[in-house]
């Protein structure tokens, strides 16, 4: 719509914002009218109309099989548009049009803002299935007529009250019509069912909706007065009411077709099951985070016990083996600590990689600078846990074997992600040191070192990737990992 309005019309940005506000609300008018809506705006030279938006009803058959947005029609071809634009009134004259053997009643509603007519809504009703209307349908149509008059007068939509139609109640969810005193004159079956969920034992018709709603909801002190006012339809507001184990969502729409409030529409939806599932998910998320927190604590306890045991050992080899185990356990604990702070099972791995690098750097025999370049990005826990162990082993191996006591050097961890999505994403990781390099005849696929065995098992088995170690140029060792960035099923 932005492009069409800016390309073809003389409307200002504030006018465009008003049209956006209208379009965000006009599903309500379409459903109440059982009709398609097309918004036509005059072009810059005034000789044509351009259709900038279209809405089909959820309550009846469509009148347009094709998308009308972007169509241009010359002025004079559709007299009802001309009359509504020039005279600023709703035009209903004329016989039904026939479109592909379907009779369609066409009406034109001017869209007014601050005294100016910005465009015209063509309301197109498919008459093929017309029958004697029920009380519900008559209420819908009367409410649609009131809203149309408010649009023509510039009183609808309500400024500053843009509604998220995906989250707000719709016409079919439940509709209540109130008179000027807030007394119910009609309640749809769905609306009545929603109030029965709150504990209402009688009919709604004839009752003061505000007072009835406040009685059904738990006492909330001074908030009750606001709830009474909202449920009575005095102002355009939304709220949720909870009582008797049920939750309903309310949206009030004051009706002022001639400038004076004649009543209100209250849309309502039973959201009891939706809120129950949301609470279950919140509880489940909290439970999962608590589990990760406890696993992290248990792993840290294991690491502390291993560290304590290493201090009691006389054998340097045994002490070093236990210290390696401490670092392996610590790398897993870092992942669980990060997961305990998240709402899902995905983590920002760059932070984990930096903490692993800092932890392993403590064993450096000399002044070795360890740094990270590139971004790992967000990874699933199923990838992050084994990858943290792999990174720990590779760095530990480099710092232990690439440099001699007191030697200066550098180790760089580089990460590059490729692919357009999680399904085809790859993660290329290189760890390069400038140490003494690999010994002659070294084969990383057959080396018996426990750390390299762990790396091979995790990379090829757990992560479904490849692992290699080669000589770096001009000196040192380069480790290359190529793994999928999402778990392999």
């Amino acid at each position: 719509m932005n492009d069409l309005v800016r390309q073809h019309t003389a409307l200002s940005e504030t006018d465009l914002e008003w049209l956006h506000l209208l379009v965000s609300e006009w599903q309500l008018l379409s459903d109440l009218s059982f009709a398609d809506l097309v918004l036509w705006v005059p072009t810059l030279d005034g000789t044509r109309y351009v259709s900038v938006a279209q809405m089909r009803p959820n309550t009846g058959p469509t009148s347009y099989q094709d998308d009308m947005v972007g169509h241009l029609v010359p002025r004079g071809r559709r007299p009802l548009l001309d009359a509504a634009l020039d005279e600023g009134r709703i035009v209903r004259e004329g016989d039904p049009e026939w479109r592909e053997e379907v009779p369609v009643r066409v009406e034109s509603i001017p869209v007014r803002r601050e005294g100016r007519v910005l465009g015209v809504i063509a309301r197109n009703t498919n008459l093929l299935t017309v029958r004697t209307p029920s009380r519900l349908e008559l209420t819908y149509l009367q409410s649609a007529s009131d809203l149309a008059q408010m649009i023509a007068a510039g009183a609808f939509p309500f400024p500053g009250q843009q509604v998220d139609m995906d989250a707000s109640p719709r016409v079919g969810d439940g509709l209540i019509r109130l008179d000027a005193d807030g007394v119910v004159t009609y309640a749809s079956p769905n609306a009545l069912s929603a109030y029965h969920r709150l504990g209402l034992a009688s009919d709604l018709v004839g009752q003061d909706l505000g007072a009835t709603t406040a009685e059904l909801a738990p006492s909330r002190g001074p908030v009750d007065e606001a709830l009474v006012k909202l449920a009575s339809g005095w102002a355009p507001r939304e709220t949720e009411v909870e009582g008797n184990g049920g939750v309903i969502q309310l949206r009030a729409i004051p009706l002022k077709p001639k400038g004076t409030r004649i009543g209100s529409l209250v849309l309502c939806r039973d959201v009891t099951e939706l809120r129950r599932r949301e609470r279950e998910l919140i509880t489940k998320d909290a439970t999962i985070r608590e589990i990760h927190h406890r696993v992290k604590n248990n792993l840290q306890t294991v690491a502390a016990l291993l560290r304590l045991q290493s201090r009691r050992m006389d054998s340097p080899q045994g002490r070093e083996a236990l210290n390696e185990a401490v670092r392996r356990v610590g790398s897993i604990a870092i992942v669980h600590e990060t997961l305990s702070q998240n709402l899902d099972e995905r983590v920002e791995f760059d932070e984990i990689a930096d903490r692993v690098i800092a932890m392993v750097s403590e064993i450096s025999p000399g002044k070795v600078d360890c740094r990270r370049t590139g971004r790992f990005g967000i990874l699933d826990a199923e990838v992050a846990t084994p990858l943290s162990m792999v990174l720990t082993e590779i760095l530990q191996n480099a710092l232990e074997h690439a440099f001699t006591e007191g030697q200066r050097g550098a180790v760089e961890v580089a990460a590059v992600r490729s692919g357009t999505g999680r399904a085809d994403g790859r993660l290329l990781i290189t760890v390069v040191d400038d140490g003494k390099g690999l010994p002659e005849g070294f084969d990383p696929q057959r080396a018996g070192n426990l750390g390299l065995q762990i790396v091979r098992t995790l990379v090829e088995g757990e992560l479904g990737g490849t692992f290699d170690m080669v000589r770096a140029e001009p000196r040192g060792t380069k480790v290359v990992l190529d793994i999928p960035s999402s778990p392999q099923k």
Side-chain angles (χ1 to χ4, degrees):
M1 186 166 75
N2 288 348
D3 293 340
L4 289 171
V5 168
R6 289 167 181 158
Q7 179 182 353
H8 294 286
T9 78
L11 297 183
S12 65
E13 290 299 314
T14 52
D15 292 335
L16 179 56
E17 289 177 11
W18 182 262
L19 294 185
H20 274 293
L21 188 60
L22 173 65
V23 168
S24 73
E25 293 270 30
W26 71 345
Q27 180 74 64
L28 176 64
L29 177 62
S30 178
D31 290 345
L32 289 172
S33 304
F34 308 97
D36 291 74
L37 305 179
V38 179
L39 177 57
W40 296 93
V41 180
T43 57
L44 184 61
D45 58 10
T47 62
R48 295 181 296 176
Y49 298 96
V50 57
S51 59
V52 298
Q54 179 179 358
M55 177 58 65
R56 291 184 172 91
N58 293 318
T59 52
T62 184
S63 303
Y64 286 112
Q65 299 300 323
D66 299 326
D67 190 354
M68 295 296 296
V69 175
H71 283 215
L72 289 161
V73 298
R75 185 176 171 88
R77 179 175 296 179
R78 302 194 177 185
L80 297 186
L81 293 182
D82 299 338
L85 183 69
D86 296 339
E87 301 172 24
R89 65 179 179 89
I90 298 175
V91 182
R92 295 191 176 94
E93 296 94 301
D95 296 327
E97 295 181 4
W98 287 83
R99 299 176 188 162
E100 298 179 356
E101 300 183 354
V102 174
V104 176
R105 182 175 64 242
V106 181
E107 303 166 274
S108 294
I109 305 167
V111 178
R112 192 183 304 273
R113 173 181 176 268
E114 296 182 351
R116 295 184 302 112
V117 177
L118 307 182
V120 179
I121 294 175
R123 182 163 55 175
N124 303 269
T125 306
N126 186 325
L127 300 178
L128 196 61
T129 58
V130 169
R131 62 185 186 278
T132 303
S134 65
R135 179 73 188 281
L136 180 144
E137 291 169 329
L138 288 173
T139 303
Y140 277 20
L141 293 171
Q142 181 57 56
S143 301
S145 176
D146 294 336
L147 280 178
Q149 291 182 56
M150 291 172 65
I151 292 173
F156 187 84
F158 303 108
Q161 293 291 325
Q162 186 158 357
V163 175
D164 181 1
M165 291 305 297
D166 291 332
S168 295
R170 294 175 178 264
V171 169
D173 295 325
L175 179 142
I176 301 171
R177 177 80 186 224
L178 309 180
D179 64 15
D181 296 322
V183 175
V184 178
T185 60
Y186 177 79
S188 72
N190 284 347
L192 190 58
S193 296
Y195 267 81
H196 285 167
R197 192 70 176 262
L198 287 183
L200 180 70
S202 61
D203 195 0
L204 274 173
V205 175
Q207 298 200 38
D208 185 309
L209 187 65
T212 301
T213 304
E215 289 175 4
L216 295 172
S219 178
R220 292 179 290 177
V223 181
D224 283 348
E225 184 178 343
L227 178 60
V228 170
K229 191 172 182 179
L230 185 148
S232 298
W234 286 95
R237 296 285 188 274
E238 286 192 37
T239 192
E240 285 190 4
V241 181
E242 185 170 357
N244 194 41
V247 184
I248 65 171
Q249 190 177 15
L250 298 179
R251 182 191 175 196
I253 304 166
L255 296 176
K256 304 177 181 179
K258 297 182 180 179
T260 303
R261 181 175 170 274
I262 63 167
S264 306
L265 279 182
V266 176
L267 304 181
C268 60
R269 177 170 60 182
D270 184 351
V271 292
T272 304
E273 293 303 315
L274 178 63
R275 296 296 175 258
R276 182 185 62 80
R277 288 195 295 269
E278 286 178 351
R279 288 166 185 164
E280 287 180 353
L281 288 174
I282 291 172
T283 302
K284 185 180 294 185
D285 287 339
T287 302
I288 291 173
R289 289 198 300 272
E290 179 62 22
I291 289 172
H292 284 302
H293 180 71
R294 294 189 181 189
V295 170
K296 183 263 296 184
N297 288 345
N298 291 339
L299 290 172
Q300 289 180 336
T301 300
V302 172
L305 292 173
L306 292 173
R307 195 178 295 111
L308 181 64
Q309 185 65 38
S310 72
R311 292 171 184 163
R312 294 174 175 267
M313 294 199 68
D314 297 328
S315 168
Q317 292 86 355
R319 188 182 303 114
E320 181 55 34
L322 287 176
N323 287 335
E324 288 182 2
V326 167
R327 288 187 286 274
R328 288 166 184 152
V329 172
S331 66
I332 302 175
I334 290 173
V335 176
H336 283 282
E337 181 179 3
T338 305
L339 287 169
S340 70
Q341 301 168 0
N342 291 344
L343 293 176
D344 55 23
E345 291 290 291
R346 308 192 74 204
V347 295
E348 177 62 64
F349 196 79
D350 295 314
E351 177 186 349
I352 293 174
D354 292 339
R355 292 180 64 179
V356 167
I357 290 171
M359 177 183 68
V360 178
S361 295
E362 296 175 359
I363 68 169
S364 172
K367 298 180 179 179
V368 179
D369 176 33
C370 292
R371 63 181 181 274
R372 171 181 62 86
T373 61
R375 293 193 71 251
F376 289 86
I378 297 176
L379 299 177
D380 291 287
E382 297 173 63
V383 175
T385 301
L387 183 57
S388 67
M389 284 197 66
V390 168
L391 195 57
T392 299
E393 296 298 332
I394 293 173
L395 289 171
Q396 193 167 273
N397 188 70
L399 293 174
E400 284 184 354
H401 302 294
F403 305 99
T404 57
E405 187 72 32
Q407 180 183 354
R408 289 183 177 275
V411 178
E412 179 180 306
V413 179
V416 177
R417 291 190 74 151
S418 62
T420 57
R422 292 179 64 183
D424 62 348
R426 306 288 299 182
L427 186 57
L428 180 65
I429 305 166
T430 56
V431 181
V432 183
D433 66 67
D434 58 358
K436 57 188 178 183
L438 297 173
E440 290 294 332
F442 179 82
D443 184 356
Q445 302 302 326
R446 297 185 179 181
N449 179 286
L450 176 60
L452 291 182
Q453 289 180 13
I454 292 174
V455 170
R456 285 199 302 269
T457 300
L458 292 177
V459 172
E460 297 172 1
E462 290 276 331
L463 298 172
T466 60
F467 157 71
D468 198 10
M469 293 180 71
V470 296
R471 291 182 180 273
E473 296 296 337
R475 62 192 179 93
T477 304
K478 179 179 181 180
V479 179
V480 181
L481 304 174
D482 185 357
I483 62 173
S485 58
S486 58
Q488 300 302 290
K489 304 300 182 185

